[in-house]
Amino acid sequence: MVQEFLTRPAKVLITGVDGQIGYFLSLAAAADPFFDVIALSDKQLDISDLAAVQHQLDLHLPDYVINTTGFNAVDQVGSEQDRCYALNTQAVENLALVCGQLAVPLFHLSSDYVFDGHYQSGYTEDDEASPLGVYGDSKWRGEELLRAALPQHIILRVSWVFSTYGDNFMQRALKQAREQESIAAVDDRRGCPTSAADIARVILAMLKQIHNGAENWGTYHYCGAEVTSRYGFTEAVLAAAGQYEKLRAEQLTAISSAQQSQDAERPESSVLVCSKLLNAFGIRQIPWRHELISMIKLQYQEQEASQSA
Ligand SMILES: NC(=O)c1ccc[n+]([C@@H]2O[C@H](COP(=O)([O-])OP(=O)(O)OC[C@H]3O[C@@H](n4cnc5c(N)ncnc54)[C@H](OP(=O)(O)O)[C@@H]3O)[C@@H](O)[C@H]2O)c1
């Protein structure tokens, strides 16, 4: 009995594994013998298709579902509002309903955009939602539908996600620094960068405790430690990448958000307070600067490997 208790793997079905969090999460889970992983990309499971969701869950009968999909292109929401709600709201309800029928808990990712960002000292899970724009509204509605449909859920709100994979602000900063002599970054919006690999660590640590009997369902915040701005983060990207290559950018200028043209409104503060996660699960924030150095190193290792292949 003890043997079975110690060795029973948790069967997890992960959606959206071609996205940056899904990619790191599925790799980390597959490398851990605690987990038996079914990793599904958007081509293998379109979560807005209720019948397909039902089919995959009936087929695999997972112990847990982790939804890492999301429509995150905040500047494109204007022209793709229906797609944004279909994925961030209705599809989350699809997953919650099917998980509910099969008594399978659902882990879901949400965003700092459920707050308008005017509260400078950081948002806790108890702060009232005030969703920002269509994207924020779609994420908040998805959260609400999940809470209503399935008590056994974890909603993990994250912010400012970066990685070696996909389109994110670390990649954009690197691209600009390689192509332009002078680059600019916004210095009056605050947030905590969070690596996709670190989010994977947090989700799997939560999952292990829940699998071993912790009943800490609910909504949690996680972000990397240390508040900065996009300017502060870009400065750190340039310093880390400068160890590996001579970047073209010689000048980095701090600008205000008013000087930057972007379609969607962005929060002034994306800072999430993470003490609930620490108190309930004992999971601490990792400094994003450490994670950034690891990610930049990985970026150059992968680049070198692909060049010599
Ligand atoms: N990125 C951030 O800074 C950030 C911040 C806060 C919260 N979050 C949340 O974290 C989660 C993951 O973010 P991420 O940065 O990893 O996103 P991502 O890299 O854009 O990945 C999302 C994945 O979902 C897939 N997808 C789209 N429509 C789908 C569908 N109908 N069925 C199944 N999969 C579908 C996408 O495929 P295609 O690429 O083919 O469309 C993509 O592979 C999202 O819930 C997001 O709201 C992200």
Side-chain angles (χ1 to χ4, degrees), residues 40-100:
L40 301 177
S41 71
D42 54 322
K43 278 116 206 141
Q44 293 161 306
L45 173 61
D46 172 357
I47 67 156
S48 58
D49 179 345
L50 180 60
V53 171
Q54 185 91 57
H55 171 71
Q56 288 293 341
L57 265 72
D58 285 343
L59 181 69
H60 296 291
L61 293 174
D63 295 317
Y64 305 93
V65 171
I66 310 177
N67 177 33
T68 72
T69 69
F71 181 97
N72 303 321
V74 285
D75 287 321
Q76 288 162 28
V77 164
S79 57
E80 297 196 68
Q81 198 162 317
D82 289 351
R83 213 179 130 220
C84 179
Y85 280 109
L87 184 57
N88 292 347
T89 309
Q90 282 103 31
V92 178
E93 187 179 31
N94 285 350
L95 279 174
L97 291 173
V98 178
C99 284

Side-chain angles (χ1 to χ4, degrees), residues 48 51 84 86 96 116 130-131 140 168 216 230 268 291 303 307:
S48 58
C84 179
D116 61 19
S130 44
W140 171 247
N168 57 72
N216 299 329
R230 294 292 171 133
E268 265 171 52
E291 289 291 299
Q303 201 174 297
Q307 279 162 359

